[in-house]
Amino acid sequence: KVVDMTAAPASQVVDWKLLHVCSCICYVGPSKFSVEDVHRIGVLDIRLCNLDRHLGNILVSRMKPGSGRLMRQKLKIESGAEDTKDSSAADSTTPSPSSTDSLSDYKLVPIDHAYILPDFRHIEEVNFEWLHWKQTKIPFSQETKRYIKLLDPFDDAAKLRALRLEEASAITVVVSTLFLKECVSREMTLWDIGSAIQREGMGTNPSCLEKIVRSAMNEYESESKKIMSVGIVDFDEVNKSRYDLRRDFKFRVFLKCFKDSMKNQLDSQLLGKIAVHHIS
């Protein structure tokens, strides 16, 4: 595709000129990657329940040396300018320290998403290569938290169903995103969340999310037998897409079971960490 550089805004021209040809991530140490880039890929993989995120399907775009430093300076200057505006407006536009200080001369480009969105009842093969990277243990920036808070998994699932994706895979987006939102609200890091989804070690024991889904399914099967008497959350079907999963009464029962199971499991996990801390 031919791009007319003269017709593009100055900021876009700079971005185009900074980018070089992408190469395999295997040739660059993960310590050179920005925190924000790692977090973006991590959030994407969690929502998709990626079964195949490894070194071979992340490319690195090498920018001109020093461009990361120049971009940091530019963002900090803009941040200082925003301080003179209304505080509420500045809160929504000013980059947080973690996002400005973590920019590097490398840009990560995730590719090859053939093995994503498995049946929500079978996520045992989830694989996150980035769990070995130190950036995952750094807290999320305010921008990332706001992004996650605004995610609408039901709308995303409806779009996937409209594309004829299997319902079980569409439910995966709902389950993974609700889990992500809940974990972020508890101030968990990307490493904490990824470790709660991917199986440990040789993968013989189910992950935290797997346990939550299994518990929810067991509760759902029990509740579905008396489905007409179960109290569930209200849902207004007016102006909702016909592909919205919440139009299905049974799904709403499962959703309630899942939310209850998720809260109980995460509360239990937190209490376990507190107990270990006191013992040590």
Side-chain angles (χ1 to χ4, degrees):
K1 181 179 179 180
V2 178
V3 179
D4 182 3
M5 304 300 289
T6 61
S11 59
Q12 292 184 16
V13 172
V14 172
D15 291 340
W16 277 95
K17 288 183 177 180
L18 287 175
L19 295 176
H20 283 196
V21 178
C22 294
S23 60
C24 179
I25 198 174
C26 307
Y27 303 115
V28 183
S31 63
K32 295 182 180 294
F33 307 145
S34 77
V35 174
E36 290 300 301
D37 264 7
V38 174
H39 285 185
R40 289 188 190 100
I41 292 178
V43 169
L44 173 67
D45 287 344
I46 286 171
R47 297 195 68 209
L48 299 176
C49 279
N50 200 333
L51 307 180
D52 193 38
R53 177 62 73 205
H54 55 79
L55 293 177
N57 56 30
I58 303 179
L59 299 181
V60 180
S61 179
R62 179 75 162 92
M63 300 195 293
K64 287 185 177 180
S67 57
R69 176 177 55 79
L70 292 174
M71 291 171 69
R72 281 195 296 272
Q73 292 175 350
K74 180 175 180 293
L75 284 172
K76 287 180 178 179
I77 291 173
E78 293 176 351
S79 173
E82 289 293 336
D83 290 339
T84 62
K85 299 181 179 180
D86 181 75
S87 59
S88 60
D91 180 63
S92 63
T93 57
T94 303
S96 67
S98 62
S99 66
T100 57
D101 294 339
S102 62
L103 293 170
S104 75
D105 293 339
Y106 296 89
K107 189 71 176 176
L108 298 183
V109 183
I111 62 169
D112 188 7
H113 297 93
Y115 296 102
I116 59 172
L117 297 176
D119 184 315
F120 71 100
R121 294 160 294 191
H122 301 287
I123 57 173
E124 60 273 6
E125 294 185 18
V126 164
N127 180 58
F128 302 141
E129 174 65 32
W130 39 259
L131 277 177
H132 304 292
W133 302 348
K134 64 180 182 180
Q135 294 92 330
T136 61
K137 295 186 178 182
I138 297 176
F140 288 115
S141 67
Q142 292 304 313
E143 292 94 330
T144 302
K145 288 181 179 179
R146 279 194 290 269
Y147 168 77
I148 293 172
K149 185 177 181 179
L150 294 173
L151 290 172
D152 185 348
F154 301 105
D155 183 57
D156 293 333
K159 291 174 181 176
L160 292 173
R161 293 188 70 202
L163 294 172
R164 301 295 187 269
L165 191 73
E166 292 184 6
E167 184 173 292
S169 293
I171 293 176
T172 298
V173 172
V174 176
V175 166
S176 62
T177 305
L178 290 179
F179 184 71
L180 173 65
K181 284 173 168 282
E182 179 65 24
C183 290
V184 171
S185 72
R186 293 169 180 254
E187 299 298 328
M188 294 172 65
T189 64
L190 178 59
W191 186 88
D192 293 328
I193 303 170
S195 299
I197 300 176
Q198 177 179 300
R199 290 189 173 189
E200 295 182 4
M202 300 299 293
T204 54
N205 298 319
S207 67
C208 175
L209 183 56
E210 285 182 85
K211 293 177 182 177
I212 292 172
V213 172
R214 290 181 184 181
S215 175
M217 287 301 298
N218 291 336
E219 182 66 19
Y220 165 75
E221 290 173 3
S222 174
E223 293 292 336
S224 62
K225 296 176 182 178
K226 48 182 180 179
I227 194 167
M228 297 308 296
S229 62
V230 174
I232 59 174
V233 295
D234 293 329
F235 178 66
D236 182 8
E237 295 186 2
V238 178
N239 297 324
K240 294 296 181 182
S241 166
R242 65 190 180 95
Y243 295 108
D244 196 313
L245 290 165
R246 291 169 296 181
R247 296 177 72 96
D248 187 322
F249 188 82
K250 291 184 178 180
F251 173 77
R252 282 143 59 193
V253 175
F254 165 75
L255 185 61
K256 181 180 183 301
C257 294
F258 174 77
K259 289 181 177 180
D260 291 343
S261 176
M262 176 171 61
K263 183 179 184 302
N264 293 335
Q265 183 70 27
L266 290 176
D267 286 346
S268 175
Q269 195 174 53
L270 177 61
L271 290 174
K273 288 183 177 180
I274 293 174
V276 170
H277 176 72
H278 283 307
I279 292 174
S280 59

